């Protein structure tokens, strides 16, 4: 598995992954997907932070991505790197694609001098397995996220 920083040329692939994630997720599928909003965010993150990474198979076909960002914690002033999405095509979920993407995000976070990294899962897609993967990479469960529609 090869992982590289996404470029502006990857935006359509990232949008496709976003559509697939939304369709597959029992939670996100009810919320919809804004293609224009996704494109705008992806362009910003690629240009400003270089914080999106693409995993490709041996034939250089994209099979997954991680979308990251970084900001200051309002309480401590620490730099926190956080993911806004991880998606791997279903047929590659038993490969090392997700691990490779998270490893790239960890490396990027360290280069940004982040004090902490936060990952989560809200899609409802194999959440227990996602948490186990994150824990196997050294992350610790710190809390819960609850959501309400208004």
């Amino acid at each position: 598995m090869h992982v590289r920083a996404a470029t502006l040329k990857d935006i359509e692939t990232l949008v496709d992954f976003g559509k697939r994630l939304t369709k597959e997720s029992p939670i996100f599928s009810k919320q919809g997907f804004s293609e224009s909003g996704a494109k705008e965010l992806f362009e910003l993150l690629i240009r400003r932070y270089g914080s999106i990474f693409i995993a490709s198979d041996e034939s250089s076909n994209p099979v997954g991505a991680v979308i990251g960002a970084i900001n200051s914690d309002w309480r401590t002033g620490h730099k926190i790197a956080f993911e806004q999405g991880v998606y791997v095509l279903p047929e590659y979920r038993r490969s090392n694609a997700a691990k490779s993407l998270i490893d790239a995000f960890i490396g990027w976070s360290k280069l940004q001098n982040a004090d902490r990294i936060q990952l989560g899962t809200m899609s409802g897609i194999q959440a227990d397995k996602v948490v186990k993967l994150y824990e196997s990479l050294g992350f610790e469960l710190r809390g819960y996220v609850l959501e309400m529609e208004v």
Side-chain angles (χ1 to χ4, degrees):
M1 203 61 51
H2 174 73
V3 175
R4 63 174 173 76
T7 69
L8 296 176
K9 293 177 183 178
D10 294 309
I11 288 180
E12 291 304 321
T13 296
L14 294 166
V15 167
D16 178 58
F17 286 163
K19 288 177 182 177
R20 290 172 183 247
L21 170 64
T22 300
K23 183 177 180 182
E24 183 180 350
S25 167
I27 297 165
F28 297 166
S29 62
K30 296 174 188 169
Q31 299 170 343
F33 182 76
S34 169
E35 188 171 327
S36 62
K39 286 180 179 180
E40 187 177 315
L41 177 65
F42 298 155
E43 182 175 346
L44 171 77
L45 293 175
I46 290 167
R47 286 185 190 275
R48 184 176 293 173
Y49 301 109
S51 58
I52 300 178
F53 298 91
I54 302 270
S56 300
D57 65 13
E58 303 76 32
S59 301
S60 298
N61 298 311
V63 301
V66 60
I67 302 162
I70 193 162
N71 213 330
S72 294
D73 183 293
W74 65 271
R75 198 176 40 79
T76 62
H78 293 168
K79 288 176 82 174
I80 300 176
F82 56 95
E83 62 81 21
Q84 293 189 324
V86 176
Y87 183 73
V88 173
L89 295 172
E91 59 269 29
Y92 287 90
R93 293 196 183 142
R94 292 184 183 243
S95 73
N96 69 344
K99 179 189 179 307
S100 297
L101 287 164
I102 299 304
D103 283 343
F105 182 63
I106 291 169
W108 174 85
S109 300
K110 289 177 179 178
L111 288 173
Q112 303 303 309
N113 296 311
D115 296 297
R116 293 193 311 277
I117 303 170
Q118 295 178 344
L119 304 175
T121 180
M122 292 183 63
S123 68
I125 302 170
Q126 301 179 352
D128 292 341
K129 289 181 180 179
V130 173
V131 170
K132 285 180 182 176
L133 169 65
Y134 293 168
E135 288 176 333
S136 76
L137 296 172
F139 291 86
E140 297 176 13
L141 186 61
R142 296 283 192 207
Y144 303 92
V145 174
L146 293 91
E147 186 174 82
M148 175 197 313
E149 289 189 32
V150 291

